[in-house]
Amino acid sequence: MRDKKLWLLLLLDAFIINANYIIALLLRFEMQLPQFYVEVYTKEVLIITAIKIIAFILFKLYSAIWRYASVNELLNILGAVLLSNLLSTLYLLGTASTLPRSIYPIVLILDTILIGGIRLVPKIIRAKEVGSKLDANLKRTLIVGAGESGLMVLRELKKHPELGNVTIAFVDDDPAKYKRTIDGVQVAGNRNDIPELTKKLKIDEIIVAMPSAKNEDQKKILDICSRTSTKVRIVPGVYEMIDDKIELKDIRDIEIDDLLGRDEIKLNTSELSEFINGKVVLVTGGGGSIGSELCRQVVKYNPKQLLILDIYENTTYDIQNEIRREYPELDMRVFIESVRDRQRLDAIFSEYRPQIIFHAAAHKHVPLMEGSPESAVKNNVFGTLNVVLEADHYDVEKFVLISTDKAVNPTNIMGATKRICEMIIQSFNRISKTDYVAVRFGNVLGSHGSVIPLFLNQINKGGPVTVTDERIIRYFMSIPEATQLVLQAGAIAKGGEIFVLDMGEPVKIIDLAEKLIRLHGHEPYKEIDIEIIGLRPGEKLFEELLLNMDLVDKTEYERIFVEKPTIIDFHELEAKLVPLMDSTKTNDRDKIVEELRKIVPTFDNYVP
């Protein structure tokens, strides 16, 4: 079918090429066609046709899809017409043709109009079809950003009428663009006009097309968009795209990272390369949210070997396949094992001799650990102790514990166990050649079981969205943010430190729920309800402030702080761990809580 259309177009061009010379002669001689000049031109008809068709081929006039024609295609038409007429005119003049020279500019004009015109017919027809479909069934779209990215989004939407998007207007903060049109679409205002324009123009969807804008600036725009209860999609930042081209698949739904408004972290890559390059790196809990992202970050700095250890095979299998696909030459070993099994750990350490350990293996869900305190203690406390002892025995260079803000003045069993982990590494650092450090941060976005995936799932199902308490606030950080800062902290660690990551401003959870509902095109409490279900067992209303400047010191990195050291004697701590281990054998919850309190004095506000 396509070949038939191309041949038809070629024959039509051949007809137009020759008809234009006849029309030019008619115009030159006031509609009286001299037979003499017809005979002169007839002798050259094949050569002239061949010259022009070859020029058209060189300018790809037979390979373009003309219903999607843009400025580039129009320039190609102009170039092809100019070149073909120049060559054919030179040929006719070179052969001492007696054709009147006055017809050459007429032919040029006719070629431009007719050769270009027949190619623009499909685009005109398509534009009319799209325009005729502008009804209630189509999504009326507002594009934020009238630059190159906005134009690419507009053209992508025009290429795919089957999606039912019709771009109604642009908004842009550049006053010079106000009321101007871009590819037929007007710039109707600036970012502050979004709520009014959305209502006035009956907008169904907003697409934010500002990939080069700073994250803080995008956050401000999304805050404005969230007041409209209109579905919002976004073009990702330039660092997320493979190249500068925007395709339909690049336009995605809003993610919670977009609402944080924090700019990309700038790492000291040379320092990280020196830290990891050529080393054997072990990531425990490597199949989890944090662990798997640590694996992704570590492999960028060319480790000698990556060891991944996790008890859960499904996610571990996923990260194994992903890394093998992206880094086929990497030496990687995967172990489905538990950190509770000291014997298996010893066998792995003995054979592979890791030099750097990122210890992310832990039970982390607060309500679940309230119901299973024995598992929390066995896995978090004594699993960590097993890895710490193996690291010391096999002269590991650096051990980095992934900790949590819930270890600060803990009100739940999970937090208390993680505080003990911090105490273990701080105390053991004083008696070992290995540098033991901890990195403490708050909630990570998108981790397994975290609140954001829960909210999104509830929104997609039509609600209700469940919030434990309307007063509850949390600190948030994206998984890549957290893991990159973990690597940087590990690189600068000297041993014994507890690094604290700057989590930014706390977020009120109910405000976050309302904003996510609006950005997905719904009205909170009307279309999707928000239900207050009460605090879960062990859950804090307010997380501790991570950056109490009386308790932490600055580092050379603005997002990384270090808690002032606490002197902890390992042998004294070890003596307290013995009865804690004994308490897990009796399944006596009260006894476990009692022993935890003895080790963590700030664990006083716990109510069984």
Side-chain angles (χ1 to χ4, degrees):
M1 182 66 181
R2 175 175 167 78
D3 289 341
K4 288 181 179 178
K5 287 183 178 180
L6 288 177
W7 279 109
L8 182 61
L9 182 59
L10 192 145
L11 290 173
L12 188 57
D13 282 343
F15 173 77
I16 291 172
I17 288 167
N18 294 290
N20 285 344
Y21 280 95
I22 303 301
I23 294 170
L25 287 169
L26 284 169
L27 292 174
R28 166 66 178 79
F29 293 103
E30 299 178 350
M31 307 307 293
Q32 299 294 322
L33 187 61
Q35 187 63 30
F36 170 73
Y37 288 122
V38 173
E39 292 174 359
V40 170
Y41 178 71
T42 302
K43 295 177 182 178
E44 310 294 348
V45 64
L46 292 178
I47 295 176
I48 295 299
T49 303
I51 288 172
K52 292 198 173 186
I53 293 295
I54 291 170
F56 293 174
I57 292 172
L58 290 174
F59 278 85
K60 301 180 180 179
L61 297 198
Y62 299 107
S63 59
I65 302 176
W66 292 103
R67 59 178 175 157
Y68 302 135
S70 63
V71 173
N72 288 335
E73 281 73 32
L74 295 179
L75 290 175
N76 281 346
I77 291 172
L78 184 59
V81 169
L82 288 173
L83 179 63
S84 65
N85 276 273
L86 174 64
L87 294 176
S88 59
T89 301
L90 290 175
Y91 167 76
L92 290 170
L93 293 175
T95 57
S97 170
T98 56
L99 286 173
R101 297 186 180 187
S102 58
I103 72 165
Y104 297 143
I106 298 174
V107 170
L108 174 62
I109 294 170
L110 291 172
D111 277 358
T112 303
I113 295 171
L114 296 178
I115 296 296
I118 63 169
R119 282 164 171 77
L120 295 180
V121 167
K123 184 175 178 67
I124 294 167
I125 292 172
R126 182 175 176 277
K128 287 184 177 180
E129 287 176 349
V130 171
S132 66
K133 292 179 182 178
L134 188 58
D135 55 31
N137 295 324
L138 296 181
K139 286 182 285 188
R140 297 170 67 87
T141 303
L142 177 71
I143 299 177
V144 181
E148 288 294 328
S149 299
L151 180 58
M152 282 190 274
V153 169
L154 172 63
R155 287 179 176 166
E156 278 294 301
L157 295 179
K158 286 184 175 182
K159 283 182 184 178
H160 298 276
E162 70 278 5
L163 297 177
N165 281 78
V166 176
T167 304
I168 303 300
F170 283 102
V171 296
D172 197 282
D173 289 338
D174 184 355
K177 294 178 181 177
Y178 182 57
K179 294 294 184 183
R180 305 287 293 274
T181 59
I182 299 174
D183 206 3
V185 178
Q186 188 181 64
V187 179
N190 59 42
R191 71 173 69 180
N192 297 318
D193 299 318
I194 290 173
E196 181 184 348
L197 288 171
T198 300
K199 193 173 182 179
K200 177 182 175 182
L201 301 176
K202 298 180 181 180
I203 297 299
D204 300 307
E205 182 175 80
I206 300 170
I207 298 178
V208 180
M210 300 176 63
S212 60
K214 290 185 177 180
N215 289 353
E216 178 64 29
D217 202 35
Q218 286 209 4
K219 176 182 178 296
K220 291 177 181 177
I221 291 171
L222 292 177
D223 286 342
I224 295 171
C225 293
S226 71
R227 302 202 297 264
T228 68
S229 295
T230 301
K231 182 173 177 60
V232 180
R233 293 195 292 161
I234 192 169
V235 174
V238 289
Y239 59 91
E240 296 179 59
M241 294 189 289
I242 296 174
D243 52 38
D244 293 334
K245 293 182 179 179
I246 295 172
E247 298 179 2
L248 201 63
K249 62 181 176 60
D250 296 318
I251 305 170
R252 58 168 172 77
D253 287 343
I254 296 298
E255 296 173 357
I256 191 62
D257 302 38
D258 303 315
L259 303 182
L260 288 181
R262 291 201 288 269
D263 288 321
E264 189 181 7
I265 296 169
K266 293 180 175 60
L267 301 175
N268 187 330
T269 53
S270 61
E271 195 169 49
L272 287 173
S273 182
E274 184 178 348
F275 175 41
I276 293 172
N277 183 46
K279 305 284 182 64
V280 179
V281 180
L282 167 64
V283 180
T284 70
S289 304
I290 295 295
S292 60
E293 185 62 25
L294 278 169
C295 293
R296 293 185 190 97
Q297 299 293 337
V298 164
V299 295
K300 294 177 182 178
Y301 298 98
N302 194 32
K304 177 182 178 182
Q305 188 176 52
L306 175 64
L307 311 176
I308 302 176
L309 186 146
D310 201 297
I311 192 61
Y312 185 55
E313 61 180 304
N314 290 349
T315 54
T316 308
Y317 179 72
D318 291 341
I319 188 62
Q320 176 192 41
N321 286 343
E322 179 184 332
I323 290 177
R324 277 186 175 161
R325 183 172 61 252
E326 299 294 329
Y327 298 87
E329 303 301 320
L330 177 69
D331 185 358
M332 176 174 58
R333 300 288 187 276
V334 176
F335 309 98
I336 303 301
E337 303 289 351
S338 171
V339 291
R340 299 186 193 185
D341 190 339
R342 176 76 184 276
Q343 186 175 357
R344 280 296 297 136
L345 287 178
D346 187 73
I348 292 168
F349 273 70
S350 175
E351 181 173 357
Y352 294 98
R353 302 291 175 129
Q355 295 162 280
I356 300 170
I357 298 174
F358 292 99
H359 180 51
H363 289 327
K364 65 175 185 176
H365 293 291
V366 169
L368 290 179
M369 293 306 100
E370 293 303 297
S372 302
E374 301 88 351
S375 290
V377 170
K378 288 177 182 177
N379 197 70
N380 292 2
V381 175
F382 293 102
T384 296
L385 181 60
N386 285 340
V387 185
V388 163
L389 292 171
E390 290 298 319
D392 173 67
H393 182 70
Y394 288 98
D395 296 324
V396 169
E397 294 175 15
K398 196 164 288 187
F399 180 107
V400 182
L401 168 72
I402 307 302
S403 190
T404 170
D405 58 347
K406 293 172 179 62
V408 182
N409 298 324
T411 60
N412 52 66
I413 286 171
M414 193 281 283
T417 60
K418 293 299 283 186
R419 175 58 193 142
I420 294 173
C421 293
E422 293 179 350
M423 296 169 70
I424 289 171
I425 66 105
Q426 280 194 307
S427 63
F428 214 83
N429 186 74
R430 302 177 66 212
I431 60 173
S432 174
K433 293 180 181 179
T434 299
D435 292 332
Y436 293 91
V437 300
V439 183
R440 183 192 293 159
F441 49 87
N443 302 279
V444 287
L445 301 168
S447 62
H448 300 307
S450 68
V451 68
I452 304 307
L454 174 64
F455 282 174
L456 294 176
N457 185 49
Q458 291 171 336
I459 290 169
N460 290 334
K461 290 182 177 180
V465 172
T466 56
V467 176
T468 55
D469 192 291
E470 60 187 8
R471 299 165 294 168
I472 199 166
I473 63 171
R474 288 291 182 265
Y475 293 91
F476 285 103
M477 179 176 279
S478 71
I479 293 174
E481 264 187 303
T483 53
Q484 288 170 13
L485 290 173
V486 165
L487 289 186
Q488 193 72 74
I492 64 175
K494 304 300 181 186
E497 304 101 329
I498 294 179
F499 290 97
V500 181
L501 305 186
D502 178 4
M503 302 291 293
E505 295 298 318
V507 177
K508 197 171 183 181
I509 297 299
I510 195 164
D511 292 345
L512 184 61
E514 291 173 353
K515 189 173 291 187
L516 279 173
I517 291 170
R518 289 194 181 97
L519 289 171
H520 281 76
H522 305 288
E523 183 67 31
Y525 308 106
K526 292 181 181 179
E527 298 175 317
I528 293 183
D529 196 18
I530 296 178
E531 183 180 336
I532 306 299
I533 60 174
L535 291 173
R536 299 173 298 176
E539 188 174 33
K540 288 182 180 182
L541 190 60
F542 306 103
E543 297 290 5
E544 299 289 336
L545 286 174
L546 294 180
L547 295 183
N548 184 336
M549 299 311 294
D550 294 332
L551 301 177
V552 298
D553 291 322
K554 292 181 179 180
T555 68
E556 59 185 294
Y557 299 96
E558 61 179 1
R559 303 281 298 278
I560 303 175
F561 295 77
V562 59
E563 188 176 79
K564 294 177 181 177
T566 302
I567 304 301
I568 301 171
D569 184 86
F570 176 73
H571 298 294
E572 291 180 8
L573 177 60
E574 187 178 31
K576 295 178 182 179
L577 291 176
V578 174
L580 178 61
M581 172 57 86
D582 292 339
S583 70
T584 64
K585 299 173 183 177
T586 63
N587 295 321
D588 185 338
R589 177 189 178 85
D590 292 337
K591 180 64 174 173
I592 292 173
V593 171
E594 180 184 342
E595 295 302 329
L596 286 172
R597 282 175 174 161
K598 289 179 181 178
I599 302 173
V600 185
T602 56
F603 186 40
D604 286 338
N605 54 351
Y606 176 83
V607 180

